[in-house]
Amino acid sequence: LAKTTQPISMDSYEGQEVNITCSHNNIATNDYITWYQQFPSQGPRFIIQGYKTKVTNEVASLFIPADRKSSTLSLPRVSLSDTAVYYCLVNTGFQKLVFGTGTRLLVSP
Amino acid sequence: DGGITQSPKYLFRKEGQNVTLSCEQNLNHDAMYWYRQDPGQGLRLIYYSQIVNDFQKGDIAEGYSVSREKKESFPLTVTSAQKNPTAFYLCASRRDNSPLHFGNGTRLTVT
């Protein structure tokens, strides 16, 4: 199973772009990379999923290099409400899905 | 609306008692999961189930038990053998390789 490593915490200011990188050296050929956002006392919420290159939706972009050993979640122009914990997860064909420790993002005014 | 329902939201028990946490989904998902989260920590996998009548241990299964008699339901029992049961418990489900859908969690306090 691919283990993920993320920074424990990051700080930013409103209006800035935030990039959170996750490493997953043992990712397998058929695995996807998925990112979740979690607020206190709530279940994680799906943000974005990708396989390679770049994926963009209305809230974020996901950049995955050719070797797929890392991925970067990009949050454009963050606001105070983006303060949360962000998890990357290797979405494997195997059913055992193990989360890493996540990145605690603090957005200040 | 389709989703995952965890009940109750808060649960209090005395030490030494077994307690069962409910998880129901109407998303027609085959796979279901239970995670435990301690304050300021990440999610740790307790049990997961790919199909009805089948389930597998996760990384911290000791002191917990599950059943999967119906596709929609995956209850988790926290037994008296679990040494530190006070935690936030999250249930999730998914179909094939789609992203996980999570419930809103049950916060269990054992005193």
Side-chain angles (χ1 to χ4, degrees):
Chain A
L1 293 174
K3 181 180 175 182
T4 59
T5 303
Q6 304 173 231
I8 292 175
S9 64
M10 295 183 69
D11 294 322
S12 184
Y13 293 96
E14 281 189 295
Q16 290 190 333
E17 178 184 76
V18 171
N19 295 309
I20 306 174
T21 297
C22 178
S23 67
H24 26 77
N25 292 323
N26 296 328
I27 191 167
T29 303
N30 295 329
D31 293 344
Y32 284 75
I33 297 112
T34 312
W35 285 81
Y36 297 84
Q37 175 192 56
Q38 186 183 27
F39 296 112
S41 298
Q42 294 184 24
R45 182 177 70 96
F46 168 75
I47 302 174
I48 196 167
Q49 175 169 286
Y51 183 78
K52 62 180 179 180
T53 62
K54 177 182 176 182
V55 179
T56 298
N57 62 23
E58 62 276 9
V59 298
S61 295
L62 178 59
F63 299 92
I64 304 168
D67 66 6
R68 303 197 334 117
K69 293 184 184 298
S70 68
S71 59
T72 299
L73 174 72
S74 181
L75 304 173
R77 300 177 59 82
V78 293
S79 64
L80 297 178
S81 63
D82 292 316
T83 292
V85 179
Y86 293 83
Y87 294 96
C88 87
L89 176 71
V90 173
N91 193 358
T92 175
F94 299 105
Q95 294 295 323
K96 185 176 181 181
L97 299 177
V98 177
F99 282 80
T101 55
T103 297
R104 194 170 298 273
L105 173 65
L106 175 62
V107 180
S108 300
Chain B
D1 287 339
I4 298 178
T5 302
Q6 290 188 243
S7 59
K9 188 173 177 66
Y10 298 95
L11 193 53
F12 298 88
R13 280 293 183 272
K14 295 288 189 184
E15 193 174 328
Q17 293 178 336
N18 291 356
V19 58
T20 298
L21 282 59
S22 170
C23 178
E24 303 279 332
Q25 54 100 358
N26 60 5
L27 299 166
N28 199 33
H29 288 173
D30 289 310
M32 297 187 73
Y33 300 78
W34 274 106
Y35 291 89
R36 169 184 171 137
Q37 189 171 37
D38 292 289
Q41 304 298 312
L43 286 73
R44 292 188 289 167
L45 181 63
I46 305 173
Y47 268 99
Y48 61 103
S49 167
Q50 299 180 53
I51 57 173
V52 173
N53 292 323
D54 183 63
F55 47 82
Q56 308 294 328
K57 292 182 179 180
D59 296 328
I60 56 165
E62 185 176 350
Y64 300 97
S65 66
V66 293
S67 63
R68 186 84 187 277
E69 297 177 1
K70 299 187 300 181
K71 188 175 186 178
E72 303 79 22
S73 179
F74 191 39
L76 173 75
T77 297
V78 184
T79 74
S80 55
Q82 168 51 233
K83 290 180 172 40
N84 297 297
T86 294
F88 187 49
Y89 290 89
L90 287 159
C91 179
S93 70
R94 72 167 184 168
R95 176 188 297 125
D96 300 325
N97 289 342
S98 66
L100 290 167
H101 288 253
F102 280 87
N104 284 326
T106 292
R107 188 167 300 280
L108 173 65
T109 302
V110 177
T111 58

